[in-house]
Amino acid sequence: MLARADSGRQNPGEYDAGLLWSSLLLLGLGLVMVYSSSIATAETLRYTGGRTGFFLTRHTTFLAISIVASLFVFQVPMRVWQQLAPWLFLAAGALLAMVLLPGLGREVNGARRWVSLGIITIQPSEFMKFFAVLYAADYTVRKSALMHSFKRGLLPMLGVMLVVGWLLLREPDFGAFVVITCIAMGILFLGGMSGTWFAGLGVLLAIGFAGLVVSSPYRMQRIFGFMDPWADPFGRGYQLSHALIAFGRGEWFGVGLGGSVEKLMYLPEAHTDFLLAVIGEELGFVGVAAVILLFAWLVLRALAVGRKAVSLERPFSALVAQGIGMWVGVQALINMGVNLGLLPTKGLTLPLMSFGGTGILVNCMALAVLLRVDWENRALMRGETL
C-alpha cells in the first residue's frame, strides 16, 4: 500500500484529470443516449411492462454499482493484481466453460454468452477481456527473458489463447475472441516479442480468422451483408442499411436529442451494438466526432500512463495500462467501424456507453486499475514508497 494511502486525502496532482474526465463524459453521454435510444424498445417489450424508462433505470443502477465497485478496485495495489492475475484468468475461463453447461448458460438470439447466477446474469467474456490484460502482462513480465523463444516463451501463451478462443467460439462470440487476441498480441509485442514472431503470428491469425469466416455460413452472410447492404436491405443487410440511414439523417448537427426515427423499432439493438448510429442521427457529425475524440484522448492517456510506468521500471503496471488502452481502443474502433459500415457486424458494444451491466462494470473496474497505475506512478515520483 502506498505510504499516504491511509490518509485518504488526494489533491488534484495525484491523478490524471484528463483520463478521469474523459471517462466520466463518456459514461454520462452513454447514459443519456441509452435512454434516448431505448424508449421505443422499452414500450414494446413484454418484460418491461411498457415503462419507457426501464432501460434508463437499469443502466443507472449498473452505473452506480460500477462506480462503487471501482472505488474499491482503486484501493488494490498493483502488486496484488499481479499476484492474483493467473487465478483471475482461470476463474474467467471457468465462467466461459459454465456458459456451455445446460441450465447455467443462457441463450439469447441463438448465442449462449451469459451465465445465470440466481438473481443476476453475467457475461463471462467481458471479465475475460479484463483478466486477459492482467494475465498477459504478468506472463510477459515472468517470461521476459524468454520472449524471443517460440517454444518456451510464446507457445505456452498461444496454447492458452487457443483454449480461450475455442470456448468463445462455442458460444459463439467471435468479436470477443478478436478483442482478446488483439490484447494478448499487443501486450506480448510491447513486452519484447520478436518482430519476426509477431509478424508470423499475425499472418497465422489472419489466415485462421479467414478460415473461421469461410467455414461458418452465418459469418459469411455477415460478410456479404457488409459488402453490399443494399442488395438485401430487408435481410442480411438490414442492420447496416438502417445504421447508414441514421448517419445520413443526422448530417452535421443531427435532428436533435430524442428526434431519431431509426430507434423507433427500425434499427435493431439501438441501445447496445448500434448506439453510435443513434448518436449520429440525433447529434450529427459533431456528436460522433466528440465521441471519437473522447475515446482517442482516453487511449492516449492510458498509453502515456504506461510509458511513465516504464520509465519508473514498473513493467507489469506499464503493460496493464497499455493493455487497457488497447482493449478500449480496439473495441471502440470495431464498434464504430461496424456502425459506419467499415467492418462486418461483430456484436461488440461501445465501451463505457452501450447498455449492459457486465460490460459497464468491467470497463469501470479496468479504468480504476488504470487510475491506480497512474496514482502509484505519481507517488513514486514524489519519493514515496510502495
Side-chain angles (χ1 to χ4, degrees):
M1 198 70 178
L2 296 180
R4 293 182 60 186
D6 295 333
S7 67
R9 296 175 299 165
Q10 295 185 17
N11 58 54
E14 292 180 331
Y15 65 92
D16 190 316
L19 175 60
L20 179 62
W21 281 106
S22 61
S23 302
L24 291 175
L25 285 171
L26 286 169
L27 288 170
L29 181 58
L31 178 64
V32 173
M33 296 311 303
V34 163
Y35 178 48
S36 177
S37 60
S38 66
I39 292 175
T41 303
E43 284 183 326
T44 57
L45 292 177
R46 181 179 302 176
Y47 65 83
T48 65
R51 290 171 291 163
T52 58
F54 177 83
F55 291 104
L56 172 65
T57 302
R58 294 198 65 184
H59 196 72
T60 303
T61 303
F62 294 150
L63 272 179
I65 294 172
S66 300
I67 291 172
V68 171
S70 298
L71 294 176
F72 285 101
V73 168
F74 180 79
Q75 303 303 319
V76 181
M78 292 306 298
R79 57 180 171 79
V80 175
W81 285 114
Q82 186 170 7
Q83 294 167 359
L84 293 176
W87 304 107
L88 292 173
F89 186 77
L90 284 174
L95 286 173
L96 285 179
M98 288 173 62
V99 170
L100 305 177
L101 297 177
L104 289 176
R106 180 184 173 190
E107 185 172 335
V108 178
N109 296 329
R112 299 175 64 90
R113 301 177 184 175
W114 297 266
V115 173
S116 180
L117 301 176
I119 60 173
I120 62 171
T121 300
I122 63 172
Q123 188 172 356
S125 60
E126 294 294 337
F127 284 104
M128 179 55 80
K129 294 171 189 175
F130 180 28
F131 297 152
V133 171
L134 299 176
Y135 177 74
D138 174 60
Y139 179 90
T140 303
V141 171
R142 286 189 287 108
K143 301 279 188 175
S144 59
L146 303 173
M147 278 294 102
H148 290 277
S149 169
F150 179 79
K151 183 178 180 180
R152 300 178 62 190
L154 303 181
L155 188 59
M157 186 65 173
L158 181 61
V160 169
M161 287 296 105
L162 287 175
V163 172
V164 171
W166 179 79
L167 290 171
L168 288 169
L169 292 174
R170 287 289 303 276
E171 296 183 5
D173 195 345
F174 186 69
F177 181 38
V178 171
V179 172
I180 291 171
T181 300
C182 290
I183 291 170
M185 289 283 291
I187 290 178
L188 287 172
F189 180 72
L190 292 172
M193 178 198 289
S194 165
T196 302
W197 289 123
F198 181 80
L201 286 175
V203 172
L204 287 176
L205 285 171
I207 295 172
F209 287 150
L212 288 171
V213 171
V214 173
S215 63
S216 173
Y218 91 92
R219 292 194 187 103
M220 285 297 293
Q221 291 299 318
R222 286 187 172 186
I223 294 293
F224 291 140
F226 154 70
M227 294 175 64
D228 187 4
W230 308 110
D232 188 11
F234 297 104
R236 63 193 182 204
Y238 184 81
Q239 286 180 306
L240 179 53
S241 60
H242 280 279
L244 295 176
I245 290 171
F247 284 113
R249 290 193 74 245
E251 297 184 353
W252 286 98
F253 300 102
V255 298
L257 186 62
S260 168
V261 171
E262 287 300 317
K263 70 183 181 184
L264 303 178
M265 307 307 294
Y266 293 104
L267 180 63
E269 310 296 341
H271 58 301
T272 56
D273 298 359
F274 285 88
L275 185 68
L276 188 71
V278 179
I279 294 174
E281 186 176 4
E282 296 190 349
L283 304 182
F285 173 82
V286 173
V288 174
V291 170
I292 293 173
L293 288 174
L294 285 171
F295 273 113
W297 181 249
L298 191 157
V299 172
L300 289 174
R301 294 313 308 154
L303 297 178
V305 170
R307 287 197 300 271
K308 178 57 67 176
V310 170
S311 69
L312 294 171
E313 298 182 349
R314 305 176 65 220
F316 174 75
S317 295
L319 292 173
V320 168
Q322 293 168 334
I324 292 172
M326 285 188 292
W327 163 23
V328 173
V330 167
Q331 184 163 332
L333 188 64
I334 292 175
N335 178 273
M336 293 174 183
V338 168
N339 276 252
L340 292 166
L342 302 176
L343 292 172
T345 304
K346 291 288 190 300
L348 285 172
T349 56
L350 191 60
L352 300 172
M353 299 188 71
S354 293
F355 176 81
T358 309
I360 289 292
L361 173 63
V362 174
N363 290 162
C364 288
M365 290 171 61
L367 289 174
V369 171
L370 180 57
L371 286 167
R372 178 74 193 195
V373 174
D374 176 66
W375 192 71
E376 291 187 3
N377 286 347
R378 293 167 187 262
L380 285 172
M381 292 173 65
R382 292 192 300 269
E384 300 177 13
T385 56
L386 298 177

